[in-house]
Amino acid sequence: MSRSVRAKSLRLAPVALSVALLGGVTVDQLSDPVPAQAGAVNGLELLTDPFLQLPTADGVSVVWFTEWAGDEHTVHVGGRTFAATTTKLSQTAEDSASQLPVEEKPTAEQGIVARDVFRHEAIVTDLTAGEKVPYRVVSTKGGRFVSSNTFKLAPAPAKGQPQRILLTSDHQAMVNTPANLEMAARTIGDIDAVFLAGDLVNIPDRASEWFDDQRGSAFFPVLQGRGGRASTHGEVYKGAEIIQSAPLFPAVGNHEVQGARAGQTSLGSSFNAPVPRAIVERAYAAVADQVNPRRDAAVKARWIEEHSFSTATYEEIFSLPDGSPGGETYYAITLGDVRLISLYSTRIWRSSSATADPAARRAITRYHESADVLGDQLRQGWGEHIFEAIDAGSPQLRWLESELASSEFRDARYRVVILHEGPQGLGDNIMPVFTDPVKTEERDAAGRLTGIRYEYPTSRNGLLRDLQPMLEQAGVDLVQNGHSHLWNRFVSAGGTSFIETSNTGNTYGAFHQLSGRSRPLPPAPWLISNYLSIGNPGGLAPILPSENPMLAPNGEPMPFVQSNDHNVFTVLDTGTNEVVSYIYDVRTPEIAPVVLDRFSVGRPASAPGGGVVPPAIGGDRDGGYVAPEGGKGAGGSGAGAGGADAGSDAGAG
């Protein structure tokens, strides 16, 4: 269910600040306190600072959160006041695993306990492109008020206006995420937008991971300079004030998808219990008379969501373009010279353990079901199933085909796609290949079901077979993904660059001849040719960083960063036509970050749409998308060097 649909039933009355004086002080005369949390005055606290969403040619949305509905919520820009609309998040909760003070967290016996969070959004209008103006937000309750500090906002940039865009992903409240963001802001300077390729938090319905996880690395605090977590080597970082003045554009990662809530007693078990929608819809049909005798469409939708999976909290938190068939889960928007496309490309992550004997299987993994759930489809894991189809013929790819043929895309100097799981990579999470698992039912001589296992044929890799050829043919300049918590990049023969920007706090490792790691492979009866222990199943060779590559133990430069001691952050700079990655060693905070890698992207300013890319990239880039014969393109080779099963350091991806 989309955020807009949910919000209708939960919407509170919008308010206007009718009195210019609050306690005898005008709002615009309020001083700038520096509270430990977002604005805390008169016993009231803002749960977050304001942040920016959906910039237009002459406006921008301002969003902030409180734990109380309040009376009036407004944005103040100079002498103008803009009233906010308030909604209540529908699924935010806490459980015994929440990182909260003991007196605030539920006990295991209490299970999942709802937590009230109220979202306030005001649309500021009549702004001038290129002009940043001061603003603050004010919330009132029962005659009291609380104000944010003063920040700056602007509408969408005009064409030709340079931008510095932070490319990041996989924050997940990781120990070094505050360090990554703080050093990025210090190094880059003013950041004009943030592209975040998924995995913003760990458990999306757990409110504290977004707002106030006591470890000091919750999502909003670190992007607003209000975190406070010691890095792996002891230095405390707060993150940086970024999204108060720079609009944020995320993509859905697997950690933005909450699994089935029905029957679960913790948010963690719920997160790991998504069931494919088609399976749940069949289960609903069998019980519809009992659970929904009036055939209420809303009751049906809610039952299916509660027993399958949901992106409700993600969609309710953010304001994103919603014109696609997927609503806010995939979208496109123009920001000056940049056309951004955000795709919904992810699946449930499951462990890589594989047990050949069906009777000995005690866990649900990517490769098989546990022996004790064979008789209950709603308890089964269904392998690493994909949440939203992104292969040929899917609604998402049909929408993408139209977007790639649009004038907005063709006229852009920079054509950028962000998605969580991409077609190229050296990480652990790029295997198995991106396809819905192929199910095999194992039976004994009498025909009784004894096991269920799953295979992932390389020939069905939709990202490589269907998506990548579309992006290359259309002239996409840059594809940014995350998911494996490392840095690596690739360039296709047609000139499309692929970069993973997820080394923001910890790494799940690179699997390359120089890494000292190999992916675990399943035993027979799984078909070993479908799995790759070392290398990139997408087939492209990794690019060696251009400036300061890390060195392998033998002294050879490595085409990746997999270190937990080093953070990498990346900026797309449209003023210089470059993507620049910086590397920083958290063990030596006194030493500034250095450039790891830089490369050119985009088209010359003189090219109104379609021109050629700078010589550093090469390739013919002047076309829009034309569907290839048969609707598919040639994918890269899946061949790679084999290797022994040396285990994996990956956690929940």
Side-chain angles (χ1 to χ4, degrees):
M1 188 180 296
S2 71
R3 181 182 63 84
S4 58
V5 172
R6 286 179 168 277
K8 286 182 180 178
S9 62
L10 297 163
R11 194 174 301 279
L12 304 178
V15 295
L17 191 65
S18 56
V19 181
L21 296 176
L22 293 171
V25 181
T26 63
V27 169
D28 293 312
Q29 290 174 344
L30 292 172
S31 62
D32 279 339
V34 186
Q37 295 178 299
V41 182
N42 299 323
L44 296 181
E45 294 182 358
L46 302 180
L47 194 53
T48 66
D49 271 340
F51 66 101
L52 303 184
Q53 295 275 267
L54 274 184
T56 63
D58 66 349
V60 67
S61 289
V62 179
V63 179
W64 69 104
F65 294 88
T66 62
E67 291 191 88
W68 33 272
D71 302 318
E72 298 178 330
H73 305 276
T74 49
V75 177
H76 299 262
V77 183
R80 297 186 297 155
T81 300
F82 299 87
T85 297
T86 294
T87 56
K88 182 180 177 182
L89 302 189
S90 65
Q91 293 190 193
T92 45
E94 304 291 355
D95 64 2
S96 62
S98 296
Q99 295 290 329
L100 291 169
V102 173
E103 64 274 13
E104 296 180 19
K105 74 164 63 179
T107 64
E109 292 72 26
Q110 289 175 299
I112 299 172
V113 177
R115 179 174 174 186
D116 288 347
V117 176
F118 295 88
R119 181 185 192 269
H120 317 290
E121 178 175 11
I123 301 174
V124 177
T125 58
D126 298 323
L127 301 173
T128 302
E131 181 181 340
K132 292 186 175 182
V133 295
Y135 80 99
R136 66 171 66 224
V137 303
V138 175
S139 291
T140 71
K141 178 184 179 183
R144 298 174 294 159
F145 71 89
V146 59
S147 169
S148 73
N149 289 346
T150 298
F151 306 104
K152 289 188 176 182
L153 55 72
K159 288 190 179 296
Q161 182 179 330
Q163 300 179 72
R164 285 175 287 191
I165 300 171
L166 179 66
L167 308 180
T168 185
S169 72
D170 297 82
H171 290 185
Q172 293 182 252
M174 294 296 185
V175 62
N176 287 327
T177 300
N180 183 281
L181 295 170
E182 186 169 324
M183 299 310 297
R186 289 187 198 175
T187 305
I188 297 168
D190 288 341
I191 293 170
D192 298 297
V194 178
F195 295 172
L196 205 164
D199 280 9
L200 287 64
V201 294
N202 289 296
I203 308 293
D205 284 0
R206 184 177 286 142
S208 51
E209 293 205 19
W210 295 99
F211 304 115
D212 53 5
D213 184 311
Q214 70 172 359
R215 291 172 295 182
S217 53
F219 179 76
F220 283 106
V222 297
L223 279 163
Q224 297 185 324
R226 294 181 176 276
R229 186 167 186 180
S231 73
T232 50
H233 294 280
E235 187 81 4
V236 176
Y237 295 88
K238 293 183 178 181
E241 291 186 359
I242 298 174
I243 60 174
Q244 292 98 325
S245 301
L248 171 67
F249 299 94
V252 178
N254 55 299
H255 284 274
E256 279 67 71
V257 184
Q258 187 74 34
R261 288 277 293 262
Q264 299 296 328
T265 58
S266 75
L267 291 167
S269 63
S270 162
F271 174 77
N272 286 305
V275 180
R277 287 256 164 77
I279 303 303
V280 175
E281 287 169 355
R282 291 202 295 269
Y284 169 81
V287 299
D289 289 341
Q290 291 76 42
V291 301
N292 191 14
R294 296 179 182 273
R295 295 298 190 266
D296 186 313
V299 171
K300 175 183 178 180
R302 185 65 177 169
W303 194 95
I304 290 172
E305 184 178 85
E306 288 178 342
H307 289 79
S308 58
F309 57 86
S310 169
T311 54
T313 296
Y314 169 87
E315 293 181 74
E316 290 172 7
I317 283 176
F318 298 106
S319 288
L320 303 168
D322 60 2
S324 76
E328 294 176 316
T329 60
Y330 51 94
Y331 59 88
I333 190 170
T334 296
L335 303 165
D337 292 328
V338 178
R339 184 65 171 176
L340 170 67
I341 301 171
S342 177
L343 298 177
Y344 186 179
S345 167
T346 195
R347 53 190 167 170
I348 181 64
W349 183 93
R350 300 203 185 282
S351 79
S352 59
S353 62
T355 302
D357 179 6
R361 294 171 186 162
R362 299 291 181 264
I364 293 172
T365 76
R366 66 181 57 160
Y367 293 119
H368 57 63
E369 302 290 356
S370 175
D372 64 335
V373 302
L374 299 181
D376 187 346
Q377 291 193 340
L378 294 185
R379 292 178 59 208
Q380 292 173 17
W382 299 91
E384 290 198 347
H385 59 88
I386 295 169
F387 292 124
E388 179 75 21
I390 193 170
D391 55 356
S394 65
Q396 186 170 191
L397 241 59
R398 289 197 299 269
W399 169 83
L400 178 61
E401 182 176 346
S402 175
E403 160 60 26
L404 296 176
S406 70
S407 59
E408 292 88 351
F409 175 84
R410 293 172 62 92
D411 290 346
R413 282 185 61 201
Y414 304 92
R415 302 163 178 174
V416 179
V417 171
I418 65 173
L419 72 173
H420 190 57
E421 295 197 48
Q424 305 291 330
L426 296 172
D428 182 60
N429 289 333
I430 199 167
M431 290 295 296
V433 298
F434 197 85
T435 179
D436 268 321
V438 176
K439 178 181 179 180
T440 296
E441 293 187 348
E442 300 158 303
R443 298 184 179 274
D444 62 18
R448 291 184 293 266
L449 182 66
T450 60
I452 295 173
R453 59 183 169 86
Y454 300 103
E455 199 79 72
Y456 301 82
T458 57
S459 62
R460 299 191 185 188
N461 185 344
L463 295 181
L464 192 62
R465 180 193 64 190
D466 304 326
L467 177 64
Q468 181 172 323
M470 286 180 66
L471 302 182
E472 290 185 86
Q473 184 176 346
V476 168
D477 300 300
L478 181 67
V479 179
Q480 174 203 356
N481 72 278
H483 197 38
S484 285
H485 296 221
L486 75 158
W487 181 96
N488 51 196
R489 76 173 176 97
F490 310 83
V491 180
S492 71
T496 297
S497 292
F498 299 83
I499 186 168
E500 179 166 355
T501 58
S502 61
N503 191 54
T504 55
N506 75 317
T507 182
Y508 296 157
F511 295 83
H512 181 271
Q513 287 81 359
L514 294 176
S515 72
R517 300 171 184 256
S518 61
R519 301 182 187 96
L521 302 178
W526 284 272
L527 187 62
I528 198 64
S529 60
N530 285 329
Y531 309 100
L532 193 65
S533 64
I534 295 176
N536 172 23
L540 296 179
I543 302 297
L544 190 69
S546 64
E547 308 235 353
N548 288 288
M550 296 192 71
L551 304 179
N554 65 0
E556 189 173 346
M558 299 187 296
F560 53 83
V561 177
Q562 65 167 4
S563 169
N564 285 324
D565 294 320
H566 294 80
N567 277 344
V568 180
F569 51 88
T570 301
V571 60
L572 165 60
D573 190 333
T574 68
T576 60
N577 287 29
E578 286 185 316
V579 174
V580 184
S581 294
Y582 296 83
I583 189 167
Y584 168 68
D585 191 334
V586 296
R587 296 170 298 183
T588 54
E590 70 280 3
I591 299 177
V594 298
V595 173
L596 170 73
D597 178 70
R598 67 172 75 236
F599 62 96
S600 298
V601 291
R603 291 153 189 76
S606 59
V612 294
V613 294
I617 295 294
D620 181 4
R621 315 281 288 167
D622 59 357
Y625 178 70
V626 179
E629 183 177 357
K632 298 178 182 178
S637 169
D645 180 355
S648 171
D649 290 338

